[in-house]
Amino acid sequence: MKERQEGLVRNGFNQIASDRISVHRSLGSDTRHPECVEQKFHHCPRLPDTSVIIVFHNEAWSALLRTIYSILHTSPAILLREIILVDDASTQDHLKAPLDLHVQPLKIVRVLRQKERKGLVAARLLGAQEAKGNVLTFLDSQ
C-alpha cells in the first residue's frame, strides 16, 4: 500500500498499475467505419515528415516508454523522422544512463538533456532547435 501511495504522490497516477501494462500494448481495434478503413488515397500529395518532441521531468519509466512505443507502433514509418526526448533536468536515476541505453537501439529516438530545470517552454524550444523533421509534433510524456 505504501508503494502505491508513493507512486500516486510522485506521478499523479497509479504507477503500480502502469508498470504492469506492456509498453507494446494494443490500442484496441480500429474504430473507423469499415468503408473508411478500406479507402485508399492513391493521388494524395506526399505528406511531410515529422519530429515528435516529448519533454519530461522525473517521469515514470513505464509511462515514458509506453509513449515512445505507442508512437513507433502507430505512426507511418515514412512520416516519422525522429522522436526527441527532452529531459528537463530529471533527478531520477532511471532517466539517465538506463534510458540512454534503452533507446539506443531505437535508431530514430534520441535524448537531449538540460543541465538545469528550465520548464516546459524552454525544453520544447530546445527540442525544436534540434529537430530535423519538416513538421514539429509536441506530445506530453504520458
Side-chain angles (χ1 to χ4, degrees), residues 15-56:
Q15 185 176 343
I16 293 174
S18 177
D19 292 346
R20 291 181 179 156
I21 299 170
S22 171
V23 296
H24 301 288
R25 72 176 173 178
S26 168
L27 297 178
S29 60
D30 194 332
T31 60
R32 295 178 293 168
H33 189 278
E35 290 179 14
C36 293
V37 174
E38 294 172 11
Q39 183 72 39
K40 303 295 182 216
F41 300 95
H42 299 289
H43 302 291
C44 285
R46 184 182 155 113
L47 295 171
D49 62 6
T50 188
S51 294
V52 177
I53 301 165
I54 302 168
V55 174
F56 67 93

Side-chain angles (χ1 to χ4, degrees), residues 8-136:
L8 283 170
V9 170
R10 185 173 45 248
N11 299 303
F13 59 85
N14 185 340
Q15 185 176 343
I16 293 174
S18 177
D19 292 346
R20 291 181 179 156
I21 299 170
S22 171
V23 296
H24 301 288
R25 72 176 173 178
S26 168
L27 297 178
S29 60
D30 194 332
T31 60
R32 295 178 293 168
H33 189 278
E35 290 179 14
C36 293
V37 174
E38 294 172 11
Q39 183 72 39
K40 303 295 182 216
F41 300 95
H42 299 289
H43 302 291
C44 285
R46 184 182 155 113
L47 295 171
D49 62 6
T50 188
S51 294
V52 177
I53 301 165
I54 302 168
V55 174
F56 67 93
H57 174 77
N58 288 341
E59 184 65 64
W61 177 261
S62 58
L64 183 58
L65 291 186
R66 209 168 19 260
T67 299
I68 295 166
Y69 284 106
S70 290
I71 295 164
L72 291 171
H73 294 320
T74 61
S75 302
I78 195 166
L79 299 179
L80 184 59
R81 177 82 176 258
E82 63 187 340
I83 299 173
I84 300 173
L85 305 174
V86 183
D87 179 2
D88 192 19
S90 293
T91 58
Q92 296 178 356
D93 289 338
H94 67 272
L95 297 171
K96 298 185 186 298
L99 178 61
D100 292 338
L101 290 171
H102 188 89
V103 302
Q104 186 176 13
L106 308 173
K107 302 295 184 200
I108 65 169
V109 180
R110 59 189 172 120
V111 181
L112 303 177
R113 300 191 185 278
Q114 298 196 118
K115 294 192 186 309
E116 61 185 47
R117 185 127 192 240
K118 295 182 181 175
L120 179 63
V121 173
R124 283 184 173 176
L125 289 172
L126 172 62
Q129 286 177 324
E130 296 292 322
K132 297 174 184 163
N134 293 300
V135 173
L136 304 181

